[in-house]
Amino acid sequence: MNTCPCCSTTLLRHARHSGVYLFCPHCWQEMPDLSAVLLNKRETLANEATRARIRRLERLIEIPKPSSQKAPLPEPVKMAS
């Protein structure tokens, strides 16, 4: 159950065209749905942590780019006849 962060009164769930919102009858104010805000924050943090892990793993398997200058080929070995 959602309670008002200001006065701890039970919030009322209201609907309008733009979506559902919470309303405090004591403060007579629209209130944010803090549980949804926290959930979104956790998901965002989890996604950022996953992206950071992926970047670290990609760095571990990075293949060095070949240089523009190629190493000279060794001299061919002459066979004795």
Side-chain angles (χ1 to χ4, degrees):
M1 180 157 334
N2 293 317
T3 57
C4 177
C6 301
C7 68
S8 300
T9 301
T10 301
L11 295 173
L12 304 173
R13 187 175 294 267
H14 287 268
R16 65 174 116 171
H17 292 292
S18 61
V20 175
Y21 68 97
L22 300 173
F23 183 80
C24 177
H26 182 263
C27 299
W28 207 255
Q29 293 287 318
E30 230 179 271
M31 293 293 169
D33 185 358
L34 296 177
S35 60
V37 171
L38 289 174
L39 181 62
N40 288 339
K41 182 70 173 172
R42 284 186 195 138
E43 288 175 1
T44 301
L45 290 174
N47 290 339
E48 288 173 5
T50 301
R51 283 193 292 272
R53 272 189 237 120
I54 290 171
R55 282 193 301 272
R56 283 195 304 267
L57 290 172
E58 285 174 341
R59 274 188 254 132
L60 288 173
I61 61 169
E62 250 180 33
I63 299 171
K65 294 180 183 176
S67 64
S68 59
Q69 294 179 342
K70 293 186 177 181
L73 294 174
E75 292 292 321
V77 178
K78 292 184 180 179
M79 300 291 284
S81 33

